[in-house]
Structure formats: structure tokens, C-alpha cells
Amino acid sequence: MTSRRTSPTNDARLTLGELRKRCEAQALPLTGPRLAVLETLVGLQGTHPTADEVYACARDRGFHIGRATVYRALEAFVARHVLTKAAHAGTAMRYDGTLARHHHLVCLRCNGILDVADERLDAIPLPDTSKLGFAISDLQIQVRGICRACQEREQADQP
Amino acid sequence: MTSRRTSPTNDARLTLGELRKRCEAQALPLTGPRLAVLETLVGLQGTHPTADEVYACARDRGFHIGRATVYRALEAFVARHVLTKAAHAGTAMRYDGTLARHHHLVCLRCNGILDVADERLDAIPLPDTSKLGFAISDLQIQVRGICRACQEREQADQP
DNA sequence: CTAATTGCAAAGGGTTTGCGATCCC
DNA sequence: GGGATCGCAAACCCTTTGCAATTAG
């Protein structure tokens, strides 16, 4: 799952230009290190990398950048709606340039994430929390299971 | 939220007897430390405590128990379906004796969890993942927002 | 010149693990 | 007596933070 090549909700390739545009629109200064993070993300497209994976990949590509800078840059991007992040409990955050509404398939083995679009999931009504005084800001759906790669790996391990 | 007293989906008080029964049914040996954890949980009912909160509370109650034992016991209970656990990304796991189907209101300020029952949320269909080869095991819904206590606290802080 | 950003290393929160001691059939 | 369980401390993973140096407006 770490090396997925297709992305069902993201067939339009994410380009560096699109990401730069989003930063400009939000008046987020595009410094050298931040640009390195975006470039790395474009290369990791479709894999929903963790911050550490982005960091490692950026270093591999020859960028001189600190781990904290990667974490800070990714959070800045999320705050300005340049990227989104997601994770299930107990695992590292994963970042992604898909802004369009979608949902996540979370693999319980490798913790990877697959995007999936589903109109029926989009239409889910918010519960009535008036009696609880709970102010809803959003609703998240996580579909958990085992991704194809992990299924195949498990079959190979124990035939 | 840490000190909630009512629990909308859990009006039937969870008893130590019920928890013991679940352990017996699963052939999970009820050792002294594990019993201490269950007793503590009954006392913390409705608060969805974290493992560390259970540990601290158990010590407060005079139980001589190690932190690792609490973590191991809670995980053993979850594995045997004596308890459930939940959390949103980036926060500590929270444990709870409610086995009946329900959903979670997650407070973005205090990270607390409220249970909520909602038939419409129960009826959500699973997405079609056949093309992705993803084997779904379950679907989780998290409603995020601000709980009443945190809303009031924020109003008080900045009037 | 001042504010923002960076890299590094250290600290932090939450959880797991190694290991000798203990408990229980 | 032998396997499960325990308590403790250390390790672990992921992330944030303190701070001096650097960069940008």
C-alpha cells in the first residue's frame, strides 16, 4: 500500500503548480524548505505519506531540511487548506493533497490509507446533539479493513 | 467532560458483575490486577478514561499495580470483547464498557468522548470497494466538535 | 531592522517491551 | 515446575518545543 500507483478519487494528477497556487491564494510564503516538502509530496502522490516518510524522502532527494521543519510545514499547509491530513487512532498522521470530499479506507495491517468516493457516505445526516449541548463541526467516516497488498502478503506467508 | 455524570447510550449502569461475566465467557482469567482495573473502570463509568487515567485512579484507590499492567489488561479486555476502545487521531486511546452499537462525539478541545445513539448512523451502507480489493471489517463514524463544558469554558475565558 | 523561518537537539505524551520476580494450576 | 502474569524501568514512536542562527521583507 505504501507504493500504490492509482488513486481512485484523485485521477487528476496533483501538480506542483496547483500546490503553489493554493499557497499563493492563502498568502502562505513559499520558502525553500516548504517548496522542498511540496515537491516531495508530488513525488509521493497517492501514498498518503506520514510526516517522517516525507522527511526521509526529502532527504533522499538531496534536500537539506530538518525533521521539525517538515512537521511544521505540513501543519502550516493543513491550516491553510493546501493539504489535508488523516489517520486512525494510534497511528501517525498522513498527508495528502486531495481537497475534494472523499473518505478513507484504513488498512489495519499497514496503517495505509486509500481514498474512496461514495455519494451515499457524503449524504450522511448529522446526529441530533442538541440535548447534549455538543456543537458539531464535522463528521468523519473511516472504513477499516485489510488492503489488497496486505491480504496477498498474508496469503503468501501462511498458505 | 472528564467528569461527566450522564451517559446517553449507557443508562443501564455497568456493573462489576457484568464485566466479570464477560471475562468468564471469554475464558479470560480474572487476576487481582485485572480485577482492580475493572473495579476502577466501573468507578470511572461514563468518562471514557485513557489508560493513564485508569492507572492513576487505580493507584489513588490504593491498588498496587504497574502502568504496563494496566495497559496490558485493557488491551486484553478489548481483544476479548470485554471493553471497547476509541480515540481520534493524535490522542490517547479511551476505554469503555459499552458494547452496544453506538457512535462517538469527540471534543476537539479536551479530546473527551461522548457516546451517542443514532439509528440513521447505524444504517450507513458500506462503500463498494470490490475494485480496490479492500476487505472491509468495519466502519467507524466520529462526530467532531466542541462539548458543552468546553463551550462554556471558552465563553467564560473570553466574554 | 524586525519578524518569520529554519535546523538541531532535547523534551514530551502515549505506549510497548525486556526482564527478573511472582503467582497459579 | 512451568506457563501466564506481574511491576519496574527503559525503550519506543510520533510529535512538539526551546533556542540560536539564518533568512526575508
Side-chain angles (χ1 to χ4, degrees):
Chain A
M1 182 165 232
T2 316
S3 57
R4 280 180 48 68
R5 240 142 246 158
T6 62
S7 172
T9 64
N10 193 17
D11 290 340
R13 235 79 193 97
L14 185 66
T15 63
L16 189 55
E18 165 64 17
L19 291 172
R20 298 183 83 126
K21 208 185 306 174
R22 291 180 193 168
C23 291
E24 278 171 36
Q26 299 292 326
L28 181 61
L30 254 187
T31 62
R34 295 214 262 246
L35 201 52
V37 167
L38 290 186
E39 269 188 52
T40 305
L41 275 169
V42 170
L44 289 170
Q45 201 165 347
T47 70
H48 293 79
T50 64
D52 258 21
E53 284 165 359
V54 175
Y55 169 67
C57 182
R59 300 290 291 223
D60 281 354
R61 289 178 165 227
F63 293 114
H64 175 66
I65 191 173
R67 189 190 311 271
T69 302
V70 173
Y71 275 84
R72 283 188 285 233
L74 289 169
E75 277 311 300
F77 291 140
V78 170
R80 304 299 187 90
H81 304 103
V82 174
L83 301 176
T84 60
K85 67 173 175 179
H88 67 138
T91 69
M93 283 295 174
R94 289 168 178 274
Y95 297 84
D96 168 24
T98 306
L99 298 182
R101 172 131 201 211
H102 65 282
H103 306 280
H104 294 300
L105 306 178
V106 181
C107 180
L108 297 169
R109 293 286 181 274
C110 65
N111 293 326
I113 291 179
L114 262 62
D115 288 340
V116 68
D118 187 306
E119 293 172 3
R120 294 177 306 170
L121 293 186
D122 295 345
I124 290 173
L126 297 180
D128 174 19
T129 57
S130 53
K131 284 168 206 142
L132 298 169
F134 187 94
I136 296 177
S137 64
D138 74 320
L139 182 147
Q140 286 199 328
I141 299 159
Q142 287 188 342
V143 183
R144 306 193 303 169
I146 317 289
C147 74
R148 176 180 280 152
C150 286
Q151 286 175 55
E152 289 169 355
R153 185 162 41 67
E154 285 180 15
Q155 283 202 326
D157 287 356
Q158 297 205 342
Chain B
M1 184 162 228
T2 317
S3 57
R4 279 179 49 66
R5 241 141 245 157
T6 61
S7 171
T9 64
N10 195 17
D11 290 340
R13 236 72 197 106
L14 185 65
T15 63
L16 188 56
E18 165 64 19
L19 290 172
R20 298 183 82 128
K21 207 185 305 175
R22 291 180 192 169
C23 291
E24 278 172 36
Q26 298 292 325
L28 180 62
L30 255 187
T31 63
R34 294 215 261 246
L35 202 52
V37 168
L38 290 186
E39 269 188 53
T40 305
L41 275 170
V42 171
L44 289 170
Q45 202 165 345
T47 69
H48 293 78
T50 65
D52 257 20
E53 285 166 358
V54 174
Y55 169 67
C57 182
R59 300 290 291 224
D60 281 353
R61 290 179 164 224
F63 293 115
H64 176 66
I65 191 173
R67 188 190 311 271
T69 302
V70 173
Y71 276 84
R72 283 188 284 234
L74 289 170
E75 278 311 300
F77 291 140
V78 170
R80 304 299 187 91
H81 304 102
V82 174
L83 301 177
T84 60
K85 67 173 174 179
H88 67 138
T91 70
M93 283 293 174
R94 289 169 178 274
Y95 297 84
D96 168 24
T98 305
L99 298 181
R101 173 129 201 211
H102 65 283
H103 306 280
H104 294 300
L105 305 179
V106 182
C107 180
L108 296 169
R109 293 286 180 274
C110 66
N111 294 327
I113 291 179
L114 262 62
D115 289 339
V116 67
D118 188 304
E119 293 172 2
R120 294 176 309 169
L121 293 186
D122 295 346
I124 289 173
L126 297 180
D128 175 18
T129 57
S130 54
K131 285 167 208 143
L132 297 170
F134 187 94
I136 297 177
S137 64
D138 74 320
L139 183 147
Q140 286 200 327
I141 298 159
Q142 288 189 340
V143 182
R144 305 192 305 170
I146 317 289
C147 73
R148 174 180 282 153
C150 287
Q151 286 175 56
E152 289 168 357
R153 185 163 39 70
E154 286 180 15
Q155 283 203 327
D157 287 356
Q158 298 203 342

